[in-house]
Amino acid sequence: PPAGFGLFRAIESGYELWLAGVELGLRGGGAGRELLAALFATPQGQKTWIVRMQRGSRYAPAVAHLLAGFGFRLVGDTARL
């Protein structure tokens, strides 16, 4: 069975990682890092420069930490995702 998924959205100059998720029982064991590595290794992933996340989510610190490992940083807030 799949351990997770990811969806890209085309934007003006590349892609946004629009949605991604990992099977709940696999969180905390490296599955998120492996999923992101696989997603960012795709042609779309190599052209991704935006990832939005809900900062109020209980997973926000873990997601921010994972994304930082791939060169992403928090730059601001948006009214909606």
Side-chain angles (χ1 to χ4, degrees), residues 9 22-23 25 31 38-39 45 51 55 60 68 74 77 81:
R9 182 174 77 124
V22 174
E23 174 69 35
L39 290 170
V51 179
R55 287 178 137 175
L74 298 174
D77 290 313
L81 295 177

Side-chain angles (χ1 to χ4, degrees), residues 12-65:
E12 187 174 319
S13 59
Y15 291 89
E16 170 183 4
L17 179 55
W18 185 71
L19 184 64
V22 174
E23 174 69 35
L24 188 59
L26 298 175
R27 293 181 183 173
R33 184 171 282 106
E34 289 180 31
L35 175 66
L36 288 176
L39 290 170
F40 292 138
T42 66
Q44 296 84 0
Q46 292 174 12
K47 296 176 185 174
T48 295
W49 60 280
I50 293 177
V51 179
R52 297 176 204 230
M53 56 181 262
Q54 293 180 325
R55 287 178 137 175
S57 165
R58 66 181 179 179
Y59 303 111
V63 172
H65 176 75

